[in-house]
Amino acid sequence: MSLVLAAPPALGQVPPGGARLSYTRGPGAEGCPEEQALRDVVAAQLGGTDPFVDGGGGGGGRRVEVVLARKGRQFLGEIALYDGDGRRLGGQELTSVACGALVEDVGTALAIVLRPARSARETAPSPPAAPSAPGSPKTASAPGSPEAASSRAGPAGPPRAPAAAPVPPAPPCRPAALAPPVERRDAALAGLRLQVGVGALITEGFAPAPAVGFSGFVGARWEAFSLSLEGRVDLPVATGPYRGGIYGVSSLGGSVVPCGHVAWFFGCGLVTAGRVRHFGMVNVVGEALQPYAGLGLRGGVEVPLSYDLAARLTGELAANLARPTLHLRGGENLSAAGTSKAGALHLVASF
């Protein structure tokens, strides 16, 4: 969505080199292209001439202000035009899911405003009349015509220039407006990005005590939806002594995670499966591998660090539909709980 405000006619007549540029990359847009990239886009639209001056002088004090910021999963570009007295003359807002594409759109809009307007009063000069060659035959004039009378009156004086045609009045100048947002044919695909994440987590429910682990995922992210495949491993946790022996419990699993996103926040469902390993650590020999499966919910927040990186904090709760159990001698068992919980911190890269 864009907001376009008409600017006075003078904006359409700003010559190249006639305005100062203020370019700011706000929160979440630190990884956007630098100011020189915007200047290059505008210059390419104006025949290779950079239309902005450096320093405080030039341009009659006119100033162009561009501010880039992140707005949810999109980038927002705000353009404002000011005269020499600091009065706002016009403005526009542009959005894009890709910051590089947004800078191109902003540059295109500015090039249209800063392109010098050709004066309507300029008229093409009339071609000069070709002088007659010496000795060329003269056209006979009819008797009684003004030409004949002039020839009889005597030698003619210096020729007079023909009267200039009246200059038509200049049409009224139309207010220059910033360009409307550029519609991209690949907008549907532009919202699709590949995401890869790695991080650490703490789980509870498979072992007698909370376990530390690591996880990673790869997935696809659209504006308000994502789908990822995850894998995780929990490091071994030792049980309490049982008849002089100590057991270790670890787990390895994977999940399918569809999520819905609103700004920085998201909620997910998950389907998870894997196996739990029970093995002897002290005075116990052997191991047992047993499967588990569960369904759960997840929520979290993804805070952008730059255009390509974000930090993701999540919490989840899952119901263990298949609960692995190790039967010990003496009637005691090592069994997974009916529910498992996990909290994780990931670093997410988008491509």
Side-chain angles (χ1 to χ4, degrees), residues 22-61:
S22 172
Y23 181 79
T24 304
R25 293 176 291 180
E30 295 86 352
C32 291
E34 297 182 354
E35 177 180 326
Q36 187 59 47
L38 176 62
R39 287 175 174 259
D40 292 342
V41 172
V42 180
Q45 301 275 348
L46 298 178
T49 302
D50 188 343
F52 301 109
V53 296
D54 296 323

Side-chain angles (χ1 to χ4, degrees), residues 247-277:
Y247 293 86
V249 182
S250 64
S251 62
L252 177 68
S255 304
V256 178
V257 187
C259 299
H261 299 257
V262 178
W264 290 2
F265 302 95
F266 60 89
C268 314
L270 61 93
V271 179
T272 183
R275 56 95 175 149
V276 172
R277 176 179 176 236

Side-chain angles (χ1 to χ4, degrees), residues 213-225:
F214 301 94
S215 68
F217 70 88
V218 59
R221 170 68 192 273
W222 291 265
E223 177 65 23
F225 177 76

Side-chain angles (χ1 to χ4, degrees), residues 45-243:
Q45 301 275 348
L46 298 178
T49 302
D50 188 343
F52 301 109
V53 296
D54 296 323
R62 295 188 182 93
R63 181 166 57 92
V64 177
E65 185 176 284
V66 177
V67 179
L68 305 182
R70 190 145 187 168
K71 186 178 181 181
R73 292 300 301 178
Q74 289 188 325
F75 291 92
L76 171 67
E78 295 181 311
I79 310 171
L81 307 176
Y82 299 90
D83 64 9
D85 296 326
R87 292 189 298 266
R88 183 182 173 97
L89 301 175
Q92 184 178 5
E93 293 183 357
L94 299 173
T95 58
S96 176
V97 295
C99 198
L102 177 62
V103 171
E104 292 182 6
D105 294 345
V106 170
T108 300
L110 290 177
I112 293 177
V113 172
L114 299 178
R115 182 175 290 115
R118 184 184 296 259
S119 174
R121 296 182 181 273
E122 294 179 1
T123 56
S126 302
S132 57
S136 59
K138 298 183 179 180
T139 305
S141 301
S145 65
E147 290 81 355
S150 176
S151 62
R152 289 194 301 267
R160 295 182 180 179
V167 178
C173 294
R174 295 182 179 179
L178 290 170
V182 178
E183 295 184 2
R184 299 182 176 272
R185 295 183 180 180
D186 59 345
L189 295 179
L192 175 61
R193 306 188 73 190
L194 174 67
Q195 287 191 322
V196 178
V198 293
L201 71 160
I202 298 178
T203 59
E204 182 179 349
F206 293 111
V212 176
F214 301 94
S215 68
F217 70 88
V218 59
R221 170 68 192 273
W222 291 265
E223 177 65 23
F225 177 76
S226 67
L227 180 64
S228 60
L229 299 177
E230 297 186 3
R232 83 182 194 190
V233 56
D234 295 341
L235 300 180
V237 174
T239 66
Y242 175 75
R243 294 188 176 184

